[in-house]
Each structure stands twice: as C-alpha cells, then as structure tokens.
Amino acid sequence: RKEVEQDPGPFNVPEGATVAFNCTYSNSASQSFFWYRQDCRKEPKLLMSVYSSGNEDGRFTAQLNRASQYISLLIRDSKLSDSATYLCVVIESPMNSGYSTLTFGKGTMLLVSP
Amino acid sequence: EAGVTQSPTHLIKTRGQQATLRCSPISGHTSVYWYQQALGLGLQFLLWYDEGEERNRGNFPPRFSGRQFPNYSSELNVNALELEDSALYLCASSFGHLQETQYFGPGTRLLVL
C-alpha cells in the first residue's frame, strides 16, 4: 500500500471555480503535513502547512482529517496562475524510532482555463 | 537573500560513469535534503544531511551517496550510472529539523545515455 496517495488528475476547471484535492496517508503516526506547489519544470515551493485545526490563506484552505487519514486543499475563485501540480507532504516520526521520514505524494495536476 | 543553488543545471553522462551534483543551502540552514524526481514517479527522498552527518536515507542503492561539508553545502554522488537514473535531482534546505519548511533549489537534470 502506498504511503501517500494523490489523484494525479488533471483537474480541469474554469476560472473562478472552486476545486478541492485530497491526499491520503497510511501511517497514523504521521505528524506534520504540508502542501507544496510545483510549476512545470520548476522546483516545488511551499504553499502552506496543514494544522490540526485547519488553516486558511486567502483563497486557499487546508484541512486535516486524522480519523480518515487525509489532508485536503481547497482553492476558491481559481485563477489561471493556479495551474500547477500540487504535492502533499507527510512527515512521520514513529514512536521510539529515533528518526523521522518525509514522504511526498506524486502530486495532483490542476489546469485552470479561461 | 540567495536561495538554494544547485550545479550543474544539466548533466549528460553515459552508463557506468559517475555523476557529482552540488548544492548550496540558504544561509543559516544546516540541513540539506536530496530528492530524485523521475517521470511518473514523483519526488523520491534520497538523503538527508544535518550538521555534516547523514540523518536518514531513502530506499536507494548504495551507489547513491553524498556528503555535507563544514559550510553546509552538499554533494550527491551517483556511481555506476544506469539509464533509469535519468531524472531531475532536487536539493532542499531547512533549519535542521525535518518538520521545518524545506526550500528547494532549481534542480539538476541528469540524463544518462
């Protein structure tokens, strides 16, 4: 079973639409979660951290559902410039292991059209 | 403030050769991470260095190795190159804790012929 899974998409939406992506993780010991954005042929850049209480940054809202083991990213009022691949990141620190691991999902591609 | 830098931007090698990739972290960052991003496979964690020591290693064979220098810059070495090593190799840096935000460099595109 894959540790971190994302729907690869692409999600094709018109400008102004609201779109949401999920990212599921398999290890309940996972502690920290992030969303990164990667433009075509560019490096990933942090979009936002995901807090247990959920967090919002402008048009972007990230939420964590520990019971169902997934994180979500909601984008409101989509812009053409939102077209990119969105990567989720899960960090886990297994109890008594003395180490942490970081796993990226493969990403979800978003295409916003005029 | 300068971001993470990587060199070279592109590298072409043949099977069996060795490749050396370099990374300079953001000033003040002590951790450097290496990732491989191959087509269709997403970002795969390779190595994590902090304060000159290897802290964690991904599921890659020993021919992938590296080191971190006293100035926190890092090298990734890939020996006995194979065709499937062709990928974008990304370096990231952070303040030293795995849960700190990682900032990525532009990557080195390695092509193995």
Side-chain angles (χ1 to χ4, degrees), chain B residues 14-69:
Chain B
T14 57
R15 285 177 61 186
Q17 284 189 312
Q18 186 231 13
T20 298
L21 287 62
R22 297 179 177 83
C23 172
S24 290
I26 290 172
S27 178
H29 287 185
T30 60
S31 273
V32 170
Y33 311 81
W34 287 97
Y35 296 89
Q36 182 195 67
Q37 189 173 35
L39 274 175
L41 293 180
L43 270 169
Q44 304 289 316
F45 168 70
L46 266 166
L47 290 159
W48 169 27
Y49 291 96
D50 183 56
E51 297 286 359
E53 293 190 13
E54 183 179 303
R55 299 296 185 184
N56 207 348
R57 183 182 180 85
N59 188 25
F60 280 83
R63 57 191 187 81
F64 286 83
S65 65
R67 54 181 173 167
Q68 186 179 35
F69 300 99

Side-chain angles (χ1 to χ4, degrees), chain A residues 8-92:
Chain A
F11 283 54
N12 289 285
V13 302
E15 269 186 294
T18 296
V19 61
F21 317 129
N22 284 343
C23 169
T24 60
Y25 58 94
S26 59
N27 193 335
S28 59
S30 300
Q31 293 183 326
S32 300
F33 310 87
F34 303 87
W35 282 103
Y36 277 74
R37 170 196 169 125
Q38 186 172 24
D39 293 292
C40 187
R41 301 184 71 81
K42 297 282 190 179
E43 71 274 19
K45 293 184 179 178
L46 180 70
L47 181 64
M48 57 198 309
S49 304
V50 186
Y51 304 125
S52 296
S53 56
N55 50 309
E56 187 174 316
D57 182 4
R59 298 181 294 108
F60 299 83
T61 300
Q63 291 189 315
L64 167 64
N65 186 319
R66 284 197 183 273
S68 300
Q69 294 186 198
Y70 73 88
I71 61 173
S72 64
L73 177 67
L74 179 77
I75 305 175
R76 290 179 298 277
D77 190 22
S78 298
K79 310 291 184 190
L80 295 177
S81 57
D82 293 335
S83 296
T85 295
Y86 291 84
L87 307 168
C88 69
V89 178
V90 175
I91 297 175
E92 54 187 70

